[in-house]
Amino acid sequence: MEERGTGAAPGLEPELVSIPATPRGVSTPETVTPTGQRSPRPPGTGGGAPAAGANSAKSWTPTPAMVSPRFLSPSISSAVGTPMKRVLVNLRGYLEEVGHLTKLNPQDAWLPITESRNGNAHYAAFHNLNAGIGFQALLLPVAFAFLGWSWGMIALTIAYFWQLYTLWILVKLHEAVPGRRYNRYVELAQAAFGERLGVWLALFPTVYLSAGTATALILIGGETMKLFFQIVCGSLCSSNPLSTVEWYLVFTILCIVLSQLPNLNSIAGLSLIGAVTAITYATMAWVLSVSQERPPSISYQPLASPSFGATAFSILNALGIIAFAFRGHNLALEIQATMPSTFKHPAHVPMWRGAKVAYLLIALCLFPVAIGGFWAYGNLMPAGGILNALYAFHSHDIPRGLLATTFLLVVFNCLSSFQIYSMPVFDSFEAGYTSRTNRPCSIWVRSGFRVFYGFISFFIGVALPFLSSLAGLLGGLTLPVTFAYPCFMWIGIKKPQRFSFSWYLNWSLGIMGMAFSLALSAGGVWSMVNSGLKLKNIEFIAVIVPVNCPMLPTEVEERNTIPTDQPRTPLPSITQCTPCSESKSFH
């Protein structure tokens, strides 16, 4: 933190620059004590590197007696002299204007999330859009197939405004305690729930959400690259095509190359590309779907199940898909940490401005995809979502160039989303390294961490290729991060008056969020078990048709049983439908 313009001419306000204090070359401010001597610097905060073994350097804070009104009385001020009086008056005004001195960990200057603090509202909008729109939006019509029109719209609307409220809470709590910025979700959880409990509650779901999403993006990106290649090349490139695993590897290498960008602010351009491509392909998906003729035997009745228990779990799994559609809250504090902050210009102002624009655009994407996709395909919607339905039902109706463009946009979005969701994991790797060595990561160490993480995600995706279909379970396990924990954090940090409206609201939303998390997780596990996932050594069998699925075209079902290493020919006209009571799969 630096104070600029303390001794400037009248009319120029002092500026508090909230930047990380780097241990090298930055010294603690000195002041003059009432005796006229300079106060010594606190140990560990000098101009040189911090002492070995020191975890962090604490900021120096002036004592209240130095700037108290009694000390600045005329009798005392005349004794200390004009220069001393000027210093103390300026210091007192500075403290009154700033209100607090932000205590910054010098280690933050070395980590990718807080390394650069020149973000703004535009960057916030780009990052929130990139984190908030993705493949999970394409699965919303699948949830509507189990919920129907009425309950589907009610659930989607409630979830949207609920998560918008919890996002506002996170933005406000970033600097809720004077003198402290909570730059990461786990740090805020520790402040609200305690050091140990906060780690236990927040670390697993946030890491699971980041790493699980990155792995799912590798699967979806690799499969989409393969479809794009098949559409563009057709029969010309069918002699020796790449297998699905090889396409996963190609996509992983591209992700690793892009991940060499050093910090969160440096990927703002990628986030813009990811946001634009996500909005474009989501719009193209529902526009192309509603512009085509609807398949025969379409129905909008919720899918029936053989038993009450099966129906209940199917509904819970559908609600989990809706909950998973609203992701990105685990990155809200990290995005806000990239912005400068002063008392007059706090970081929450540009952050909330960018977030409002981002989530308005997110609503304009999610609701049309859910409504348009369900209107176009009803409960014939396949488990893969609206893009799978578009490819299965209309690949022979839509020009190849338009279909290939849609898939290419999905690839670009997956590449961009991988970067922002992996950044907290990169930050954790480097935080562990810098805390042990007390020095920043070299470019080789940083690159090594990111190459390691990329290939670990690849191997997990190869071993568990059904992760991309676990939207219901992912939504249930990570639901507290978005819908429950922020409400409890507000109560723990802000401490609203008991039995007030805010107290009742946050307790109610938090408890309901935790209850929904348990129920939706159970629904997601039941859907996995009942869908017929089977293990065979290290090779898994990926399920194409979900349990209790609707009537699907015979040609589409047969097409899904073609091995992935064989080229697919365009679909014939769809004329016959048969029930899919037994799920089919491929290796």
Side-chain angles (χ1 to χ4, degrees), residues 312-313 315-324 471-477 479 483 513-527:
F313 279 118
I315 292 175
L316 290 175
N317 187 54
L319 293 176
I321 293 175
I322 292 179
F324 185 56
L473 180 60
L474 285 172
L477 292 176
L479 185 143
F483 294 95
M514 296 302 298
F516 277 129
S517 175
L518 296 176
L520 300 186
S521 299
V525 172
W526 176 88
S527 178

Side-chain angles (χ1 to χ4, degrees), residues 129-145:
L129 274 172
N130 189 28
I133 306 180
F135 69 91
Q136 76 283 358
L138 305 177
L139 300 175
L140 287 174
V142 180
F144 273 52

Side-chain angles (χ1 to χ4, degrees), residues 112-113 122-136 167 183-184 206-207 209-215 217 251 254-256 258-275 277-278 327-339 351 358-359 362 412-428 450 453:
I113 288 178
H122 298 91
Y123 285 14
F126 300 159
H127 290 316
N128 279 286
L129 274 172
N130 189 28
I133 306 180
F135 69 91
Q136 76 283 358
L167 177 66
N183 298 319
R184 295 160 185 86
T206 53
V207 171
L209 184 58
S210 296
T213 301
T215 304
L217 287 170
F251 185 85
L254 293 176
C255 289
I256 291 175
L258 292 176
S259 69
Q260 301 308 310
L261 292 171
N263 53 61
L264 188 56
N265 266 340
S266 65
I267 66 170
L270 284 178
S271 292
L272 175 60
I273 294 175
T277 53
R327 60 178 188 176
H329 284 53
N330 61 311
L331 300 171
L333 296 173
E334 285 81 352
I335 295 171
Q336 193 169 348
T338 63
M339 302 178 183
M351 175 64 183
Y359 276 86
I362 288 173
F412 287 158
N413 175 255
C414 290
L415 286 172
S416 303
S417 297
F418 181 91
Q419 309 308 319
I420 192 168
Y421 271 93
S422 300
M423 197 60 69
V425 182
F426 300 156
D427 188 84
S428 299
R450 302 185 182 198
Y453 173 74

Side-chain angles (χ1 to χ4, degrees), residues 2 5 39-40 60 69 93 95 102 186 192 253 258 262 267 279 296 298 322 358 404 411 421 497 509 511 521 585:
E2 300 176 0
S39 63
W60 170 87
L95 292 177
T102 303
V186 177
I253 293 174
L258 292 176
I267 66 170
I279 294 173
I298 190 173
I322 292 179
V411 173
Y421 271 93
Q497 184 179 359
L509 293 179
I511 293 173
S521 299
S585 58

Side-chain angles (χ1 to χ4, degrees), residues 480-504:
V481 175
T482 302
F483 294 95
Y485 289 165
C487 300
F488 293 136
M489 291 174 180
W490 183 268
I491 295 174
I493 296 177
K494 288 295 187 179
K495 295 180 171 51
Q497 184 179 359
R498 289 174 60 87
F499 310 117
S500 63
F501 175 77
S502 176
W503 189 84
Y504 276 118

Side-chain angles (χ1 to χ4, degrees), residues 105 107-115 117 170 174 180-191 202 206 329-335 337 423-424 427-428 431 489:
N105 186 351
Q107 187 187 17
D108 283 344
W110 299 335
L111 302 180
I113 288 178
T114 51
E115 187 177 53
R117 291 186 185 267
L170 292 175
H174 178 76
R180 179 70 188 272
R181 293 184 70 174
Y182 298 109
N183 298 319
R184 295 160 185 86
Y185 196 98
V186 177
E187 292 179 6
L188 184 61
Q190 289 177 307
T206 53
H329 284 53
N330 61 311
L331 300 171
L333 296 173
E334 285 81 352
I335 295 171
M423 197 60 69
D427 188 84
S428 299
M489 291 174 180

